[in-house]
Amino acid sequence: MRWLLVVLGLLAVPGMLWAAEPGPTELAGLRLGDDIATYSQLIDAETAAKGFFRPHLEMVALKDREGLRSAYADYGTCKNKGRIVRIKVNYRDGSLKFFEKLLTELKKRYGQPEDWRGNPFGTLRAWKWSLPAGKDRISMVLMYYAGDDGEYTEGNSLRITSRNMVEEEDRCYKEKKADEEPATELRKPADVSELDWLLPK
């Protein structure tokens, strides 16, 4: 009787007996956590540049790869110096049909995504998974975009991120910045209104 209650209890938890695969750590021939230097044959080192929102991460483009329009890897410069923390690919097939094909396959492999980040117009469709991978947490985002906002990459893209390593890089950067001299802030002149200072003219 006790074993029957255990089985029924497990059945009551969706996905318990049919758990999805652990979070992915490889994409486009690169593996999260590896030293970027070990992939010299796959990357275009001349494209390396600091990130805009996270200057403590550097981004480098991958060389042309069949099926991809472009691809990038972010690696740490502080706590995880040289280690890959994020990989993003932009697929050559930018159609909505291909997006649905990718989404179906990712659901088979990793289960249902937890977060929807699309818009009501259908021009932006994005699903996010948060998946365990050993002691790490992998964020995976599949996105389709068909608008004209330069903030988003047109077509289909997929990125995987090591949340643990990105958070370590963020903390390391903040600690270093705290030890530096504060930057001089550009101040609003007294004769300029707040809105004229903050809004376009």
Side-chain angles (χ1 to χ4, degrees):
M1 184 66 179
R2 180 176 294 177
W3 67 268
L4 179 59
L5 292 174
V6 171
V7 171
L8 291 174
L10 290 174
L11 289 174
V13 180
M16 179 65 77
L17 296 180
W18 298 273
E21 294 182 15
T25 56
E26 294 185 42
L27 183 61
L30 278 64
R31 182 194 292 269
L32 294 174
D34 282 359
D35 192 320
I36 191 68
T38 63
Y39 297 102
S40 57
Q41 76 282 9
L42 297 180
I43 64 172
D44 184 356
E46 294 183 357
T47 65
K50 291 186 180 296
F52 184 77
F53 294 107
R54 281 190 165 102
H56 48 293
L57 298 182
E58 288 194 356
M59 181 177 71
V60 66
L62 275 62
K63 293 179 180 178
D64 290 346
R65 184 181 179 91
E66 184 177 355
L68 302 181
R69 191 173 77 251
S70 59
Y72 306 88
D74 291 353
Y75 54 93
T77 63
C78 195
K79 174 72 173 178
N80 300 289
K81 193 167 185 177
R83 295 177 64 194
I84 301 170
V85 301
R86 181 183 292 117
I87 307 166
K88 179 181 178 181
V89 299
N90 299 309
Y91 294 101
R92 190 162 292 167
D93 187 339
S95 68
L96 181 57
K97 182 178 180 180
F98 188 62
F99 172 82
E100 296 295 347
K101 180 179 179 180
L102 294 171
L103 179 60
T104 298
E105 184 60 29
L106 288 173
K107 285 180 178 179
K108 286 180 183 177
R109 296 186 183 192
Y110 304 107
Q112 294 293 325
E114 290 87 3
D115 192 14
W116 164 253
R117 296 186 172 184
N119 64 26
F121 311 106
T123 56
L124 174 64
R125 304 177 186 222
W127 288 105
K128 180 184 177 182
W129 289 255
S130 183
L131 302 162
K135 295 181 179 180
D136 202 352
R137 293 173 297 124
I138 304 300
S139 168
M140 179 171 66
V141 178
L142 175 68
M143 180 180 293
Y144 164 83
Y145 184 64
D148 56 5
D149 187 341
E151 182 180 350
Y152 301 103
T153 304
E154 189 172 355
N156 293 309
S157 64
L158 178 69
R159 73 173 183 264
I160 58 173
T161 304
S162 164
R163 295 305 314 162
N164 287 12
M165 285 197 292
V166 168
E167 288 170 4
E168 288 174 349
E169 286 298 299
D170 290 347
R171 286 194 297 269
C172 182
Y173 177 71
K174 287 179 181 177
E175 288 169 3
K176 282 193 172 183
K177 288 292 287 183
D179 294 334
E180 296 176 0
E181 290 290 330
T184 302
E185 183 181 38
L186 189 60
R187 308 292 294 181
K188 179 182 74 66
D191 59 344
V192 176
S193 72
E194 180 184 22
L195 292 182
D196 281 343
W197 181 248
L198 298 175
L199 295 179
K201 297 179 181 178

